[in-house]
Every structure is written in structure tokens, then in C-alpha cells.
Amino acid sequence: MGLERADDAGVYKVTDEIAIIQTVDFFTPIVDDPYWFGQIAAANALSDVYAMGGVPKTAMNLVAFPAKDMDISVLRRIIEGGLDKMREAGVVLVGGHTVEDPELKYGLSVTGYIHPDRVLTKKNLKVGDLLILTKRLGTGIIGTAIKGALASQDVTDKVTRAMATLNKDAAEVMQDYPVHACTDITGFGFLGHLAEMVDGSGCGVRIKSGSVPVYHEALEYAAMGLVPAGAYRNREFREKTVDFGASVERNVQDVLFDPQTSGGLLISVDATHAQDLLKALKEKGVQDAAMVGEVIAEPKEKILVE
Ligand code: CO
Ligand code: CO
Ligand code: CO
């Protein structure tokens, strides 16, 4: 796949039966606990392979570690967290690289595979499709509240577990349905990633904001002004694509633009199979999955949020 239509991961066709999927992701800690940070970083890096419809197989660790200021046991816990996630995903760690750096960073490069005819991209929305989102939104806003020591332990735990949850189950369930396009929700936020799907598609999208799964705490924090800079950047970047109805409150808009870490899959599926897919996702334990909108003919390449 060419770079002019950047997708979640790179895909290279090896034979008529096999294409490899490659992706890399790493970042600074977003939670205090090193073991959970390791799990989240791994789940986040693996997610792009799932978003392409693929199966991750091998991974390499990428580590930047402040060895002078931090105990090596912290690094050990991060790596353990990452390894446990890879095991859960059925992924083998085949290597890695560590550098000394004033700022701790961790992530993975991941290789997966897929049948070349079954690659799911962002770019194949069909008018009439229904859209399903598999995880709740608001982790960036709640992360800001955690950094400001304003978040409760309860919501911190909830969001930490959700970010560490693999998109594996959702990706496996989706294989059995006529899915036309898929991406995972990360730094550009729900509307930013949806805008990538809408760009060049020749279709529009209608979102029912009341149906989008969100952490109610994120709405509360956003109403208090705890909105990360990334959410403002995402809004500025996509302002012209998104049309908010008069009833969509500002804090709801903020959550829809909130940058996510290890967010859910956004799936565009043939409408006649959408309810069955949603039911199957829930049966598989993807509890927060919800129908959030539909693909429409007009206005073209716009997102209407109601
Ligand atoms: Co992605
Ligand atoms: Co990525
Ligand atoms: Co090396």
C-alpha cells in the first residue's frame, strides 16, 4: 500500500496467499504503574494490525530508559507487562533495542499477516453502512485528570484496564461479517479518525452523539475544562469536516475529539448484518461496543454530529 493513502499499518504482499502487516508505536508513560504501562503500550502497538483485519505474529521491544535516574526494576515491570500482553495476543517477542534517554518510552514494532484480498483499510465506506465503535471514549481527558491528581481511583482503574484490553476479540468477531472499512481510534480522536475514513470516500457520515460510548467522568472533566491540548489540535484540524448540531454540547464535542490511547475499533459494516455483528461482539465480551452512526450519500465527505 502506498504512502499517499496512509493507513493503520504497512501491508506488503509476499505471495498471492500472504501479505505481511508491519507497524510501530511507542510513547511515554500514561499511567504510573510500570506493569500496566507495559500492557497498554503493547495493546496499543498491536491494535493497528487488528485494525487492518490481520493477525499479529511477532514483535520487537523499543525502549528508551533513563538508567541514571530510574531503577532497573521499573524497566523489568514494563517489559513483563508488554510480554504478558503479547502472550495473550499469541505474539512471539523476537528481539528489541534499548537506548539510554532522559525520558522513558516503551512500545513495539509488530509484524502480522493477512490474506491479500482481506485487507481492511480506512477507505471503503459504502452508503448505507452502519458504524460500530468497540471501546468507550474519554481516555485522554481522564488521563489529564489523572496527571492533575483529580481522577478517582475507580475511574483510573477502569480506564487503565480498558486501554490494556486488546482489540483481538473485536477483530476476530469482525472477520465473519461483511465489514467494508475499519480503523482504530488513537491520537486524532474519534472524529479525527472518522474524518480519515470520510476523506476521499465520496460519502458522508451521520453520528448520533448520544449513542457514542463515553466515560461519563470524561464528560464531567471536560465540562470542568480538563481537556488535553491534543483535543484542541484535533478540533482545529478537522473543523471544516465536522458539522455539530445545535444540541451537541461543548463537552460532548471535546470527548469526540479527545485523543485516545489504545482506543477501540471503528467498523463500517453492511447495514443488514450490523445488529448481528454488534450482538456477536457483546457475546464475545466486547461490552462497550455500540452502534454510533451511518454512512450517508450527502453531504459528501462531511461528518454530521447530532
Ligand atoms: Co491506527
Ligand atoms: Co499506530
Ligand atoms: Co540493537
Side-chain angles (χ1 to χ4, degrees):
M1 302 180 60
L3 285 173
E4 69 280 1
R5 36 177 298 189
D7 220 289
D8 290 303
V11 182
Y12 182 81
K13 185 171 155 181
V14 182
T15 68
D16 287 344
E17 303 292 314
I18 297 174
I20 53 169
I21 303 177
Q22 290 178 287
T23 181
V24 57
D25 251 301
F26 65 113
F27 47 61
T28 56
I30 38 153
V31 292
D32 287 335
D33 185 297
Y35 180 70
W36 280 98
F37 170 54
Q39 290 188 72
I40 292 167
N44 180 72
L46 291 163
S47 177
D48 281 322
V49 176
Y50 294 126
M52 304 298 293
V55 179
K57 275 293 148 191
T58 60
M60 298 211 242
N61 279 332
L62 294 157
V63 182
F65 191 70
K68 290 189 192 76
D69 309 317
M70 213 175 264
D71 196 89
I72 195 74
S73 65
V74 174
L75 180 55
R76 222 172 275 136
R77 288 298 283 161
I78 292 171
I79 303 282
E80 275 170 17
L83 257 177
D84 281 352
K85 251 324 121 177
M86 286 180 244
R87 251 179 233 127
E88 186 187 331
V91 165
V92 180
L93 182 73
V94 292
H97 190 76
T98 303
V99 294
E100 193 170 334
D101 190 273
E103 196 171 25
L104 174 62
K105 300 174 194 81
Y106 174 63
L108 306 176
S109 78
V110 183
T111 302
Y113 68 75
I114 190 167
H115 192 287
D117 301 338
R118 296 194 52 110
V119 178
L120 286 174
T121 70
K122 301 174 179 180
K123 288 293 177 199
N124 195 30
L125 298 180
K126 298 263 186 286
V127 173
D129 277 4
L130 295 180
L131 298 168
I132 293 174
L133 176 64
T134 66
K135 284 189 189 180
R136 283 195 265 176
L137 302 176
T139 63
I141 288 166
I142 292 169
T144 306
I146 292 172
K147 283 196 185 109
L150 291 159
S152 70
Q153 194 58 48
D154 175 55
V155 72
T156 304
D157 292 347
K158 225 167 28 181
V159 166
T160 301
R161 276 194 303 272
M163 289 189 293
T165 300
L166 291 171
N167 282 325
K168 177 174 189 275
D169 286 346
E172 283 174 6
V173 170
M174 139 179 114
Q175 297 295 325
D176 297 331
Y177 293 84
V179 170
H180 294 142
C182 180
T183 193
D184 61 334
I185 306 302
T186 51
F188 294 134
F190 172 73
L191 289 175
H193 289 282
L194 181 58
E196 290 181 332
M197 296 178 104
V198 164
D199 271 355
S201 69
C203 327
V205 159
R206 182 185 289 119
I207 296 299
K208 287 201 184 75
S209 60
S211 304
V212 178
V214 300
Y215 293 99
H216 69 85
E217 292 91 343
L219 291 171
E220 288 156 23
Y221 298 146
M224 291 160 56
L226 283 173
V227 177
Y232 293 108
R233 280 196 298 270
N234 289 341
R235 178 192 289 267
E236 217 169 282
F237 184 48
R238 289 300 186 178
E239 224 153 29
K240 290 188 184 72
T241 308
V242 182
D243 195 349
F244 288 108
S247 65
V248 185
E249 308 246 13
R250 178 71 192 209
N251 60 337
V252 174
Q253 299 181 19
D254 288 336
V255 174
L256 296 177
F257 276 120
D258 184 37
Q260 303 297 284
T261 300
S262 190
L265 298 182
L266 177 58
I267 301 167
S268 185
V269 61
D270 192 287
T272 54
H273 298 267
Q275 284 298 344
D276 290 343
L277 171 53
L278 184 62
K279 191 163 160 267
L281 285 167
K282 289 187 182 275
E283 278 168 8
K284 186 86 183 199
V286 187
Q287 290 302 337
D288 291 338
M291 205 81 80
V292 299
E294 61 179 325
V295 180
I296 55 181
E298 299 283 345
K300 288 194 196 316
E301 302 189 11
K302 289 264 182 208
I303 300 171
L304 309 180
V305 183
E306 294 172 351

mmCIF file of all heavy atoms in Angstrom, residues 155-182:
data_model
loop_
_atom_site.group_PDB
_atom_site.id
_atom_site.type_symbol
_atom_site.label_atom_id
_atom_site.label_comp_id
_atom_site.label_asym_id
_atom_site.label_seq_id
_atom_site.Cartn_x
_atom_site.Cartn_y
_atom_site.Cartn_z
ATOM 1 N N VAL A 155 -12.168 5.429 38.541
ATOM 2 C CA VAL A 155 -12.137 5.714 37.096
ATOM 3 C C VAL A 155 -10.738 5.460 36.528
ATOM 4 O O VAL A 155 -10.589 5.011 35.394
ATOM 5 C CB VAL A 155 -12.657 7.147 36.778
ATOM 6 C CG1 VAL A 155 -11.679 8.210 37.209
ATOM 7 C CG2 VAL A 155 -12.930 7.274 35.284
ATOM 8 N N THR A 156 -9.707 5.701 37.348
ATOM 9 C CA THR A 156 -8.333 5.415 36.910
ATOM 10 C C THR A 156 -8.187 3.934 36.581
ATOM 11 O O THR A 156 -7.655 3.567 35.523
ATOM 12 C CB THR A 156 -7.322 5.817 38.011
ATOM 13 O OG1 THR A 156 -7.528 7.190 38.327
ATOM 14 C CG2 THR A 156 -5.882 5.614 37.556
ATOM 15 N N ASP A 157 -8.680 3.072 37.466
ATOM 16 C CA ASP A 157 -8.598 1.618 37.244
ATOM 17 C C ASP A 157 -9.378 1.203 36.003
ATOM 18 O O ASP A 157 -8.926 0.394 35.197
ATOM 19 C CB ASP A 157 -9.145 0.850 38.458
ATOM 20 C CG ASP A 157 -8.255 1.014 39.679
ATOM 21 O OD1 ASP A 157 -7.120 1.507 39.523
ATOM 22 O OD2 ASP A 157 -8.701 0.658 40.788
ATOM 23 N N LYS A 158 -10.577 1.764 35.883
ATOM 24 C CA LYS A 158 -11.465 1.418 34.769
ATOM 25 C C LYS A 158 -10.801 1.720 33.422
ATOM 26 O O LYS A 158 -10.776 0.888 32.511
ATOM 27 C CB LYS A 158 -12.740 2.277 34.900
ATOM 28 C CG LYS A 158 -14.009 1.523 34.693
ATOM 29 C CD LYS A 158 -15.285 2.248 35.109
ATOM 30 C CE LYS A 158 -15.311 3.748 35.074
ATOM 31 N NZ LYS A 158 -16.600 4.323 35.513
ATOM 32 N N VAL A 159 -10.253 2.931 33.336
ATOM 33 C CA VAL A 159 -9.651 3.383 32.078
ATOM 34 C C VAL A 159 -8.347 2.629 31.806
ATOM 35 O O VAL A 159 -8.043 2.295 30.660
ATOM 36 C CB VAL A 159 -9.435 4.913 32.145
ATOM 37 C CG1 VAL A 159 -8.515 5.380 31.044
ATOM 38 C CG2 VAL A 159 -10.770 5.618 32.056
ATOM 39 N N THR A 160 -7.593 2.337 32.864
ATOM 40 C CA THR A 160 -6.340 1.589 32.708
ATOM 41 C C THR A 160 -6.629 0.206 32.136
ATOM 42 O O THR A 160 -5.982 -0.238 31.184
ATOM 43 C CB THR A 160 -5.623 1.464 34.073
ATOM 44 O OG1 THR A 160 -5.356 2.778 34.561
ATOM 45 C CG2 THR A 160 -4.308 0.712 33.952
ATOM 46 N N ARG A 161 -7.613 -0.470 32.688
ATOM 47 C CA ARG A 161 -7.979 -1.805 32.189
ATOM 48 C C ARG A 161 -8.443 -1.745 30.731
ATOM 49 O O ARG A 161 -8.087 -2.590 29.920
ATOM 50 C CB ARG A 161 -9.087 -2.425 33.051
ATOM 51 C CG ARG A 161 -8.568 -3.122 34.310
ATOM 52 C CD ARG A 161 -9.657 -4.003 34.921
ATOM 53 N NE ARG A 161 -10.869 -3.260 35.240
ATOM 54 C CZ ARG A 161 -11.096 -2.632 36.384
ATOM 55 N NH1 ARG A 161 -10.190 -2.670 37.351
ATOM 56 N NH2 ARG A 161 -12.217 -1.972 36.591
ATOM 57 N N ALA A 162 -9.242 -0.720 30.424
ATOM 58 C CA ALA A 162 -9.770 -0.603 29.056
ATOM 59 C C ALA A 162 -8.635 -0.371 28.051
ATOM 60 O O ALA A 162 -8.624 -0.957 26.970
ATOM 61 C CB ALA A 162 -10.791 0.525 28.975
ATOM 62 N N MET A 163 -7.661 0.472 28.416
ATOM 63 C CA MET A 163 -6.552 0.760 27.497
ATOM 64 C C MET A 163 -5.662 -0.471 27.320
ATOM 65 O O MET A 163 -5.035 -0.650 26.286
ATOM 66 C CB MET A 163 -5.723 1.952 28.006
ATOM 67 C CG MET A 163 -6.450 3.284 27.895
ATOM 68 S SD MET A 163 -5.388 4.717 28.259
ATOM 69 C CE MET A 163 -5.054 4.500 30.011
ATOM 70 N N ALA A 164 -5.618 -1.313 28.349
ATOM 71 C CA ALA A 164 -4.796 -2.537 28.270
ATOM 72 C C ALA A 164 -5.536 -3.672 27.571
ATOM 73 O O ALA A 164 -4.959 -4.728 27.342
ATOM 74 C CB ALA A 164 -4.364 -2.968 29.669
ATOM 75 N N THR A 165 -6.790 -3.462 27.238
ATOM 76 C CA THR A 165 -7.570 -4.514 26.583
ATOM 77 C C THR A 165 -7.222 -4.576 25.093
ATOM 78 O O THR A 165 -7.278 -3.570 24.390
ATOM 79 C CB THR A 165 -9.082 -4.248 26.752
ATOM 80 O OG1 THR A 165 -9.377 -4.227 28.156
ATOM 81 C CG2 THR A 165 -9.917 -5.336 26.077
ATOM 82 N N LEU A 166 -6.879 -5.762 24.634
ATOM 83 C CA LEU A 166 -6.562 -5.963 23.214
ATOM 84 C C LEU A 166 -7.798 -5.779 22.347
ATOM 85 O O LEU A 166 -8.910 -6.099 22.781
ATOM 86 C CB LEU A 166 -6.034 -7.383 22.992
ATOM 87 C CG LEU A 166 -4.671 -7.751 23.568
ATOM 88 C CD1 LEU A 166 -4.440 -9.255 23.420
ATOM 89 C CD2 LEU A 166 -3.559 -6.969 22.880
ATOM 90 N N ASN A 167 -7.585 -5.338 21.115
ATOM 91 C CA ASN A 167 -8.685 -5.329 20.136
ATOM 92 C C ASN A 167 -8.807 -6.682 19.421
ATOM 93 O O ASN A 167 -9.488 -6.789 18.395
ATOM 94 C CB ASN A 167 -8.489 -4.196 19.126
ATOM 95 C CG ASN A 167 -8.889 -2.844 19.718
ATOM 96 O OD1 ASN A 167 -9.833 -2.766 20.499
ATOM 97 N ND2 ASN A 167 -8.159 -1.800 19.365
ATOM 98 N N LYS A 168 -8.171 -7.688 19.992
ATOM 99 C CA LYS A 168 -8.133 -9.028 19.380
ATOM 100 C C LYS A 168 -9.527 -9.636 19.225
ATOM 101 O O LYS A 168 -9.890 -10.100 18.138
ATOM 102 C CB LYS A 168 -7.276 -9.929 20.274
ATOM 103 C CG LYS A 168 -7.160 -11.381 19.844
ATOM 104 C CD LYS A 168 -6.146 -12.082 20.760
ATOM 105 C CE LYS A 168 -5.801 -13.478 20.264
ATOM 106 N NZ LYS A 168 -6.767 -14.483 20.720
ATOM 107 N N ASP A 169 -10.305 -9.642 20.304
ATOM 108 C CA ASP A 169 -11.633 -10.268 20.239
ATOM 109 C C ASP A 169 -12.512 -9.567 19.204
ATOM 110 O O ASP A 169 -13.184 -10.217 18.403
ATOM 111 C CB ASP A 169 -12.322 -10.232 21.611
ATOM 112 C CG ASP A 169 -11.703 -11.240 22.569
ATOM 113 O OD1 ASP A 169 -10.951 -12.128 22.100
ATOM 114 O OD2 ASP A 169 -11.964 -11.136 23.784
ATOM 115 N N ALA A 170 -12.497 -8.236 19.249
ATOM 116 C CA ALA A 170 -13.301 -7.467 18.291
ATOM 117 C C ALA A 170 -12.869 -7.790 16.871
ATOM 118 O O ALA A 170 -13.706 -7.990 15.976
ATOM 119 C CB ALA A 170 -13.163 -5.974 18.574
ATOM 120 N N ALA A 171 -11.555 -7.878 16.641
ATOM 121 C CA ALA A 171 -11.041 -8.148 15.291
ATOM 122 C C ALA A 171 -11.436 -9.547 14.833
ATOM 123 O O ALA A 171 -11.776 -9.756 13.665
ATOM 124 C CB ALA A 171 -9.519 -7.980 15.281
ATOM 125 N N GLU A 172 -11.403 -10.507 15.743
ATOM 126 C CA GLU A 172 -11.755 -11.884 15.369
ATOM 127 C C GLU A 172 -13.240 -11.984 15.021
ATOM 128 O O GLU A 172 -13.615 -12.624 14.042
ATOM 129 C CB GLU A 172 -11.399 -12.849 16.502
ATOM 130 C CG GLU A 172 -9.910 -13.136 16.536
ATOM 131 C CD GLU A 172 -9.475 -13.969 17.739
ATOM 132 O OE1 GLU A 172 -10.347 -14.433 18.505
ATOM 133 O OE2 GLU A 172 -8.255 -14.132 17.902
ATOM 134 N N VAL A 173 -14.077 -11.354 15.823
ATOM 135 C CA VAL A 173 -15.519 -11.395 15.569
ATOM 136 C C VAL A 173 -15.829 -10.761 14.213
ATOM 137 O O VAL A 173 -16.611 -11.285 13.414
ATOM 138 C CB VAL A 173 -16.293 -10.674 16.697
ATOM 139 C CG1 VAL A 173 -17.757 -10.492 16.320
ATOM 140 C CG2 VAL A 173 -16.170 -11.442 18.004
ATOM 141 N N MET A 174 -15.185 -9.644 13.926
ATOM 142 C CA MET A 174 -15.464 -8.886 12.700
ATOM 143 C C MET A 174 -15.138 -9.679 11.429
ATOM 144 O O MET A 174 -15.721 -9.424 10.376
ATOM 145 C CB MET A 174 -14.713 -7.559 12.832
ATOM 146 C CG MET A 174 -14.017 -6.979 11.679
ATOM 147 S SD MET A 174 -13.269 -5.414 12.167
ATOM 148 C CE MET A 174 -11.531 -5.846 11.991
ATOM 149 N N GLN A 175 -14.234 -10.676 11.525
ATOM 150 C CA GLN A 175 -13.847 -11.494 10.359
ATOM 151 C C GLN A 175 -15.044 -12.180 9.693
ATOM 152 O O GLN A 175 -15.020 -12.448 8.504
ATOM 153 C CB GLN A 175 -12.870 -12.614 10.777
ATOM 154 C CG GLN A 175 -11.548 -12.136 11.318
ATOM 155 C CD GLN A 175 -10.715 -11.415 10.301
ATOM 156 O OE1 GLN A 175 -10.728 -11.762 9.122
ATOM 157 N NE2 GLN A 175 -10.012 -10.381 10.732
ATOM 158 N N ASP A 176 -16.058 -12.488 10.490
ATOM 159 C CA ASP A 176 -17.188 -13.269 9.979
ATOM 160 C C ASP A 176 -18.307 -12.400 9.396
ATOM 161 O O ASP A 176 -19.376 -12.913 9.083
ATOM 162 C CB ASP A 176 -17.785 -14.121 11.110
ATOM 163 C CG ASP A 176 -16.769 -15.125 11.631
ATOM 164 O OD1 ASP A 176 -15.900 -15.532 10.840
ATOM 165 O OD2 ASP A 176 -16.845 -15.485 12.831
ATOM 166 N N TYR A 177 -18.073 -11.091 9.294
ATOM 167 C CA TYR A 177 -19.142 -10.189 8.837
ATOM 168 C C TYR A 177 -18.662 -9.358 7.642
ATOM 169 O O TYR A 177 -17.461 -9.168 7.464
ATOM 170 C CB TYR A 177 -19.575 -9.283 10.002
ATOM 171 C CG TYR A 177 -20.248 -10.094 11.076
ATOM 172 C CD1 TYR A 177 -19.498 -10.754 12.044
ATOM 173 C CD2 TYR A 177 -21.628 -10.272 11.071
ATOM 174 C CE1 TYR A 177 -20.102 -11.565 12.995
ATOM 175 C CE2 TYR A 177 -22.240 -11.075 12.016
ATOM 176 C CZ TYR A 177 -21.478 -11.719 12.971
ATOM 177 O OH TYR A 177 -22.084 -12.525 13.893
ATOM 178 N N PRO A 178 -19.625 -8.858 6.836
ATOM 179 C CA PRO A 178 -19.239 -8.066 5.660
ATOM 180 C C PRO A 178 -18.813 -6.640 6.051
ATOM 181 O O PRO A 178 -19.543 -5.667 5.846
ATOM 182 C CB PRO A 178 -20.513 -8.063 4.812
ATOM 183 C CG PRO A 178 -21.626 -8.279 5.779
ATOM 184 C CD PRO A 178 -21.084 -9.090 6.910
ATOM 185 N N VAL A 179 -17.602 -6.563 6.616
ATOM 186 C CA VAL A 179 -17.052 -5.273 7.033
ATOM 187 C C VAL A 179 -16.381 -4.620 5.820
ATOM 188 O O VAL A 179 -15.621 -5.270 5.106
ATOM 189 C CB VAL A 179 -16.032 -5.472 8.177
ATOM 190 C CG1 VAL A 179 -15.264 -4.195 8.465
ATOM 191 C CG2 VAL A 179 -16.748 -5.964 9.435
ATOM 192 N N HIS A 180 -16.690 -3.343 5.592
ATOM 193 C CA HIS A 180 -16.148 -2.640 4.425
ATOM 194 C C HIS A 180 -14.908 -1.810 4.742
ATOM 195 O O HIS A 180 -14.064 -1.604 3.880
ATOM 196 C CB HIS A 180 -17.218 -1.721 3.820
ATOM 197 C CG HIS A 180 -18.373 -2.476 3.229
ATOM 198 N ND1 HIS A 180 -19.668 -2.058 3.320
ATOM 199 C CD2 HIS A 180 -18.409 -3.662 2.570
ATOM 200 C CE1 HIS A 180 -20.457 -2.931 2.713
ATOM 201 N NE2 HIS A 180 -19.721 -3.907 2.262
ATOM 202 N N ALA A 181 -14.839 -1.286 5.966
ATOM 203 C CA ALA A 181 -13.704 -0.439 6.340
ATOM 204 C C ALA A 181 -13.526 -0.499 7.850
ATOM 205 O O ALA A 181 -14.480 -0.767 8.587
ATOM 206 C CB ALA A 181 -13.940 1.004 5.894
ATOM 207 N N CYS A 182 -12.303 -0.252 8.290
ATOM 208 C CA CYS A 182 -12.039 -0.288 9.730
ATOM 209 C C CYS A 182 -10.809 0.538 10.040
ATOM 210 O O CYS A 182 -9.879 0.618 9.235
ATOM 211 C CB CYS A 182 -11.815 -1.740 10.180
ATOM 212 S SG CYS A 182 -11.480 -1.920 11.939
#
